[in-house]
Amino acid sequence: MKKESNTEEPNLNVTLNHYPLTWPTEGPIDLAVHDLPHHESVLEWWYQNCHVTSTDGKKFSLFASFFRLATGKDKDSENCTYAHSVIWSLSDVDGKKYYMDSLVDPDTPVHALKIMKKNEESNQGSKSIRRAIKEVYEKGNIPLPDRLLKNHAKIGNNNFSLEYDENSFKKDASGNYQLQLQNPVSEVACRLTFVPLTEPVRHGNNGLVGKVGRGDMFYYFIPNCAVSGEIQIGSTTYKAEGNGWYDHQFSRPADETTTFEFKGDMAWNWISLQLDNGCQISGYDLFDNTDNGKHAGGTMIIIDADGKIINEENYSFFPEYHWTSSRTFMSYPVSWRLEIPTQNIFLSITADFEEQEFVTILSAPAFWEGRVNAFGSFMGKEVSGAGYVEINGFDTKESIESFLKAIGKATQRATESLLPVNPTDDQFHRLVNSPLGIRFFTAEDKEQYVSSVIKPIREVVDRNKKAWRSYVFLASIDIVGGNSQPFIDWLAMPELIHTGSLIVDDVQDKSDTRRGGIALHHLYGEPLAINAGNVCYFVGELFTHTPQLPKNIRLKVYELFFEMMRAAHAGQAMDISGLHSLMPDAVSTGSSSSLEKRIYTIHRLKTAAPACTLVKMGGLIGNGKHEEIEALCNFFEAIGVAYQIMDDVLNLQGFDGNLKDKGEDITAGKITMPVAKAMSLLPLDKREYVWKTIQAMPTDKTTIESVIILLQNCGAIEACRLEAENLLEAAWKHVDEVFPDSFFKVRLRAFGWFVLQKG
């Protein structure tokens, strides 16, 4: 892509160690001076990465960033005060494991609350996510996997020294860099020496990089360092050596316009490559999130084997394949094509493994930074090498609504892969369980199966935009400490079970609409609709074969599945048979207790029990403790009941997007929670009117509205809202006691509030 060059001479005046310094417009970077912290800079970080091989041949890659962000100015000295953080990860290339750690300033909760208060006043950010994380900060905590530094960082002013608890980056008397990192939680530690082999290189426009969060940045790097030292994982220590990289960036000085708040208004792709021909490449693209992601600058720097530096603005760096995280449901590119035609460079870049996502509040909710391999041609000759790619600030799913929408998309993809509208022969035979080697089906048979099974199911599935039931399963794996990523395709299983129940339920209730469209039995007829609904209950089982589960866990998953189906069908039977027999007594006495208990039973069986079963499946697969799974079951039981109560409420008040007809339950003659509560709130004549009207199953909108007004005015609808809220809050207390504050816990909290809104 063509980059616009900045022809205006950049103003590079900064303050260094309280002494004015004008950056030279050309010539070498003096590391003796420029490595030192820039005390008037608003934002500054030191970054290292390396690729090393142990003496027994194991490959590791590592990156680490030491940050400082100005939080204000000291009233007496007028000097900036700072919050410090360090993030780092170790990629075990052979084992395809990603060990990450993030330590943030001890005062982070205090600073974060101040920023949140300011944003609340301007109504910025996601309301439910913001509210959930605020609870964490008010305790003086931060959500895992981030951890608080035990002590304030120690910064060397006259010698280059950064000490963040047990993590440090220092320059020794020989001019080499000593990196020490330690994560006692994952039992991973690194002790490495970086020896610079080349002179520092200015990035961007003669060292100036376009606006990143808080204004212009000055950026230089050392692209080639010899690295040696030790890497420790658990009780095993590996001696290793290889190649390393060092970056240093800092922003403009603080002035009267500085707000001391890092804003995520920019997104970027960044790459560093060390090639086997002795050359290095570093580049970035910036995108302005405040301007619909418009490209905001970028460049590629090529350093050849002789140290010659080429600054190239005519290049393309574009993704070829994306991967979706099951933790954040953010989608990241994991393979790219880098082309610099004027230099005859054409490279394919591929992640060594996909799961190199870094979850942190420092770049909420996460970014991707991982080891990549490069191969292709460099000036007409074959070349290969290793590098790092960072993807930050894109499509961050900051609201619970966008998060659930992303889950819906992932669920859709999983369903499409299981039930494609144009299946291959192998996919078709797998779906109908044809015995291996017996190919008695014809092309016409497959066509008929698609038209009578797959397309009817997809008709309903494809209308869904959110899939919270599917989220329950994956969230339960993650919050107990497991890894949900291998199970992301299992998202289709809960969605298909729910879809099957909806299809059959619409036939039984004679419903006209579903998910904003015509109910399936009106499109395909009742026989095919019922059959399609039943098929949904069983095809999801195919996912249980991948990934391979231990036999005892797989057997328990099967048992839980059938427990769920029995409970759901029991609840459906009670719902269909109705509660009309209890209404005469409720009308005459004005007591609703029996009605409410029966409705709770139906809600627990139809919705809460399936949610609890998914929790048990996820907790079992994630190797959760009994008390953890129990707390989650209680919480999702409360969510299931609250969800159905709010469904009853919205049936009277109307759904977003007209997903169902307003007052459809009244037309169907159903006794719902608002009706039950109204029996203890309305006078006798109004109770009799409501009951008589519901028995008549009215279709006239005026009549339906008259019942809704009575339920609203007597307080029954508000009582339902309060009941749902109390259920959730009581169940959350147990979750809050059992689980430490974490990213996953924050999402669960926000999700519970979202259910109350039923948005």
Side-chain angles (χ1 to χ4, degrees):
M1 61 185 70
K2 176 67 177 177
K3 305 296 184 300
E4 295 182 3
S5 61
N6 184 358
T7 57
E8 183 179 346
E9 184 69 21
N11 182 1
L12 302 179
N13 288 322
V14 299
T15 302
L16 177 64
N17 287 342
H18 308 294
Y19 295 99
L21 171 74
T22 301
W23 286 97
T25 56
E26 58 184 21
I29 300 292
D30 183 0
L31 291 176
V33 176
H34 299 152
D35 275 339
L36 294 173
H38 293 245
H39 286 284
E40 297 303 313
S41 173
V42 177
L43 174 65
E44 183 167 18
W45 69 81
W46 297 262
Y47 168 91
Q48 315 86 45
N49 73 44
C50 64
H51 312 286
V52 297
T53 303
S54 67
T55 53
D56 59 354
K58 285 183 67 69
K59 293 181 179 179
F60 299 98
S61 289
L62 175 145
F63 89 84
S65 288
F66 290 77
F67 291 91
R68 352 191 286 153
L69 174 66
T71 57
K73 281 195 173 185
D74 183 86
K75 293 181 180 179
D76 297 325
S77 67
E78 288 295 313
N79 294 330
C80 288
T81 57
Y82 290 94
H84 299 82
S85 59
V86 56
I87 61 175
W88 65 279
S89 76
L90 176 69
S91 294
D92 178 350
V93 178
D94 302 309
K96 300 189 183 305
K97 291 184 178 179
Y98 192 68
Y99 302 95
M100 63 180 182
D101 194 20
S102 171
L103 285 164
V104 301
D105 199 89
D107 297 329
T108 295
V110 174
H111 294 312
L113 285 171
K114 289 179 181 178
I115 293 172
M116 293 183 80
K117 183 178 180 181
K118 177 182 175 182
N119 288 341
E120 283 174 0
E121 293 170 355
S122 59
N123 200 29
Q124 294 180 16
S126 168
K127 192 172 183 179
S128 54
I129 293 287
R130 186 175 67 224
R131 181 181 170 192
I133 201 168
K134 183 180 179 182
E135 281 190 344
V136 176
Y137 291 144
E138 287 174 339
K139 299 177 191 176
N141 296 338
I142 57 167
L144 294 170
D146 292 304
R147 299 184 293 129
L148 287 173
L149 284 164
K150 298 174 185 176
N151 306 292
H152 289 280
K154 298 178 182 178
I155 309 297
N157 292 327
N158 298 316
N159 63 313
F160 179 45
S161 174
L162 311 173
E163 294 184 56
Y164 294 40
D165 285 353
E166 296 85 6
N167 306 274
S168 63
F169 188 52
K170 302 178 181 180
K171 184 186 290 186
D172 62 23
S174 301
N176 302 325
Y177 299 97
Q178 305 294 334
L179 176 65
Q180 181 168 308
L181 304 166
Q182 185 172 338
N183 183 352
V185 177
S186 60
E187 297 183 317
V188 176
C190 304
R191 294 170 288 275
L192 300 169
T193 298
F194 285 64
V195 179
L197 301 178
T198 59
E199 294 297 320
V201 178
R202 295 168 181 269
H203 217 313
N205 181 19
N206 196 31
L208 190 66
V209 176
K211 298 182 184 301
V212 181
R214 289 305 312 156
D216 295 332
M217 304 288 294
F218 194 86
Y219 180 2
Y220 67 87
F221 62 101
I222 303 175
N224 191 14
C225 301
V227 177
S228 61
E230 295 179 341
I231 291 173
Q232 182 178 334
I233 301 177
S235 59
T236 305
T237 299
Y238 302 91
K239 290 188 177 298
E241 59 182 29
N243 297 317
W245 190 287
Y246 168 44
D247 282 0
H248 183 200
Q249 298 184 48
F250 57 91
S251 73
R252 61 177 173 79
D255 58 28
E256 64 277 1
T257 65
T258 300
T259 60
F260 300 107
E261 176 186 350
F262 184 82
K263 297 179 182 295
D265 51 10
M266 300 298 293
W268 61 84
N269 299 314
W270 174 86
I271 185 170
S272 69
L273 292 174
Q274 294 169 313
L275 303 174
D276 60 4
N277 62 358
C279 300
Q280 300 92 34
I281 298 176
S282 180
Y284 63 85
D285 277 321
L286 298 176
F287 302 88
D288 190 349
N289 286 333
T290 65
D291 192 12
N292 297 315
K294 183 179 178 181
H295 188 261
T299 191
M300 285 285 163
I301 305 290
I302 305 108
I303 304 99
D304 69 14
D306 297 323
K308 181 182 176 183
I309 300 169
I310 302 170
N311 188 324
E312 185 57 68
E313 296 186 343
N314 294 301
Y315 66 90
S316 60
F317 181 45
F318 54 90
E320 294 187 312
Y321 174 74
H322 284 75
W323 165 81
T324 299
S325 163
S326 66
R327 298 185 298 175
T328 63
F329 286 89
M330 292 173 63
S331 183
Y332 304 96
V334 288
S335 69
W336 303 260
R337 184 71 178 169
L338 174 59
E339 297 183 352
I340 312 175
T342 56
Q343 304 301 322
N344 198 18
I345 297 174
F346 303 92
L347 299 174
S348 292
I349 317 292
T350 306
D352 273 270
F353 58 99
E354 296 165 334
E355 290 185 55
Q356 299 184 85
E357 179 187 43
F358 203 111
V359 176
T360 175
I361 60 169
L362 296 174
S363 184
F367 62 95
W368 193 97
E369 181 151 3
R371 173 185 164 125
V372 298
N373 278 317
F375 64 92
S377 64
F378 190 104
M379 299 182 181
K381 296 182 180 180
E382 286 190 7
V383 71
S384 62
Y388 260 92
V389 167
E390 180 177 295
I391 305 139
N392 199 324
F394 297 95
D395 196 19
T396 54
K397 309 292 183 295
E398 291 182 347
S399 70
I400 195 67
E401 292 84 359
S402 62
F403 179 63
L404 290 175
K405 187 176 180 179
I407 295 174
K409 289 181 179 178
T411 301
Q412 184 70 31
R413 289 193 295 271
T415 306
E416 289 171 357
S417 70
L418 181 66
L419 295 172
V421 292
N422 294 302
T424 64
D425 287 345
D426 287 341
Q427 288 172 322
F428 171 53
H429 292 306
R430 180 169 178 253
L431 284 167
V432 298
N433 200 27
S434 170
L436 293 176
I438 301 176
R439 305 299 188 188
F440 56 85
F441 289 111
T442 66
E444 289 75 17
D445 293 328
K446 182 168 71 172
E447 183 179 342
Q448 186 174 10
Y449 181 84
V450 170
S451 64
S452 61
V453 176
I454 293 179
K455 286 187 176 179
I457 295 173
R458 289 286 300 276
E459 172 67 35
V460 180
V461 171
D462 292 356
R463 297 176 188 174
N464 196 20
K465 301 302 180 187
K466 304 181 182 74
W468 71 263
R469 290 166 182 82
S470 299
Y471 170 60
V472 171
F473 171 68
L474 294 186
S476 299
I477 296 175
D478 287 322
I479 197 170
V480 300
N483 179 14
S484 65
Q485 194 65 48
F487 299 90
I488 192 167
D489 282 344
W490 284 43
L491 286 167
M493 180 186 65
E495 174 60 19
L496 285 169
I497 293 170
H498 181 57
T499 297
S501 70
L502 295 180
I503 293 171
V504 176
D505 186 67
D506 285 343
V507 175
Q508 294 165 338
D509 290 349
K510 302 187 183 304
S511 298
D512 294 326
T513 60
R514 173 61 65 183
R515 289 177 171 171
I518 300 172
L520 193 69
H521 59 280
H522 288 307
L523 296 174
Y524 286 86
E526 290 187 1
L528 274 182
I530 293 171
N531 187 69
N534 289 333
V535 170
C536 288
Y537 296 148
F538 304 106
V539 292
E541 182 270 341
L542 293 172
F543 282 125
T544 65
H545 299 275
T546 305
Q548 198 66 250
L549 295 173
K551 288 184 179 180
N552 62 320
I553 292 182
R554 190 160 183 252
L555 177 60
K556 186 61 179 176
V557 168
Y558 274 120
E559 292 174 351
L560 289 169
F561 172 82
F562 286 108
E563 286 178 14
M564 172 175 61
M565 297 305 292
R566 289 195 299 272
H569 280 76
Q572 179 71 349
M574 294 175 68
D575 194 24
I576 292 171
S577 60
L579 303 172
H580 284 212
S581 62
L582 299 177
M583 280 298 289
D585 182 66
V587 171
S588 62
T589 64
S591 173
S592 61
S593 60
S594 295
L595 266 177
E596 290 187 43
K597 287 178 182 178
R598 188 68 62 83
I599 292 171
Y600 275 126
T601 299
I602 293 171
H603 287 345
R604 286 190 173 98
L605 289 170
K606 284 187 63 174
T607 304
C612 286
T613 303
L614 292 171
V615 166
K616 291 176 182 177
M617 287 181 180
L620 181 68
I621 290 171
N623 198 31
K625 299 175 184 177
H626 173 74
E627 61 269 24
E628 292 175 333
I629 297 174
E630 182 181 26
L632 288 176
C633 279
N634 291 338
F635 181 61
F636 278 105
E637 177 181 324
I639 282 181
V641 174
Y643 183 90
Q644 288 302 137
I645 290 174
M646 293 308 300
D647 190 78
D648 292 345
V649 167
L650 292 180
N651 191 281
L652 301 174
Q653 295 186 331
F655 293 84
D656 287 345
N658 298 317
L659 297 180
K660 294 181 183 178
D661 294 330
K662 184 178 178 180
E664 185 182 78
D665 286 344
I666 296 173
T667 300
K670 291 185 68 173
I671 309 303
T672 61
M673 188 62 80
V675 172
K677 287 192 177 294
M679 292 302 100
S680 62
L681 297 171
L682 288 170
L684 178 60
D685 62 328
K686 302 300 183 184
R687 298 198 297 269
E688 290 175 337
Y689 173 77
V690 169
W691 173 223
K692 180 180 178 181
T693 305
I694 289 175
Q695 284 180 294
M697 301 172 68
T699 58
D700 176 64
K701 290 185 178 181
T702 302
T703 304
I704 294 171
E705 189 65 28
S706 68
V707 174
I708 294 173
I709 290 172
L710 282 174
L711 301 180
Q712 179 72 51
N713 291 345
C714 76
I717 290 178
E718 184 57 32
C720 286
R721 290 187 183 276
L722 184 61
E723 186 81 29
E725 182 177 336
N726 289 339
L727 280 169
L728 276 178
E729 290 305 305
W732 179 256
K733 288 181 180 179
H734 193 194
V735 173
D736 200 25
E737 292 169 356
V738 170
F739 291 97
D741 292 321
S742 69
F743 166 81
F744 303 110
K745 187 175 168 184
V746 165
R747 292 289 164 128
L748 282 185
R749 184 60 158 150
F751 173 66
W753 287 321
F754 176 79
V755 168
L756 292 181
Q757 302 166 11
K758 194 75 162 34

